[in-house]
Amino acid sequence: MSERDDFEQREYDLRWADGAEHKEPSARARMLAARWKHNPPGPVPFRPEPAARSRGLSRHRPAWLSTVLVLGGMAALIVLLGYGGFRPPF
């Protein structure tokens, strides 16, 4: 069988499968349907709680502190380079 015939056969099979009247659900969908039949899932919040970090620092640090640290570090670097007389090579 040539490569072209193989491609045409696969294309035909895909069109035939897509045109099926009844499509069987995936294994995961069948498993969840069986599980939820007797034990339906509870309500899920719109946005889940953020995952706690291993060190736990994010719970106590204000959100704006990261921005202040980055901008402060950049300002310190600019002052340090200016004080040292740094001139770009170009």
Side-chain angles (χ1 to χ4, degrees), residues 8 19 23 31 40 44-45 48 52 54 57 59 75-76 78-79 89:
E8 288 176 0
K23 295 185 181 185
M31 178 195 68
V44 178
S54 60
L57 295 176
R59 285 183 263 153
I78 290 171
V79 168

Side-chain angles (χ1 to χ4, degrees), residues 16-36:
W16 177 79
D18 288 341
E21 291 180 26
H22 175 73
K23 295 185 181 185
E24 184 176 335
S26 67
R28 178 163 174 77
R30 290 191 310 266
M31 178 195 68
L32 290 175
R35 182 184 301 169
W36 292 346

Side-chain angles (χ1 to χ4, degrees), residues 1-45:
M1 188 179 256
S2 71
E3 186 176 322
R4 181 173 171 83
D5 292 337
D6 187 40
F7 175 75
E8 288 176 0
Q9 182 65 34
R10 273 188 277 146
E11 183 67 25
Y12 173 76
D13 289 344
L14 288 175
R15 281 184 281 156
W16 177 79
D18 288 341
E21 291 180 26
H22 175 73
K23 295 185 181 185
E24 184 176 335
S26 67
R28 178 163 174 77
R30 290 191 310 266
M31 178 195 68
L32 290 175
R35 182 184 301 169
W36 292 346
K37 189 176 195 178
H38 301 292
N39 187 13
V44 178

Side-chain angles (χ1 to χ4, degrees), residues 2 17 27 63 76 80 83-84:
S2 71
L80 183 65
Y83 180 73

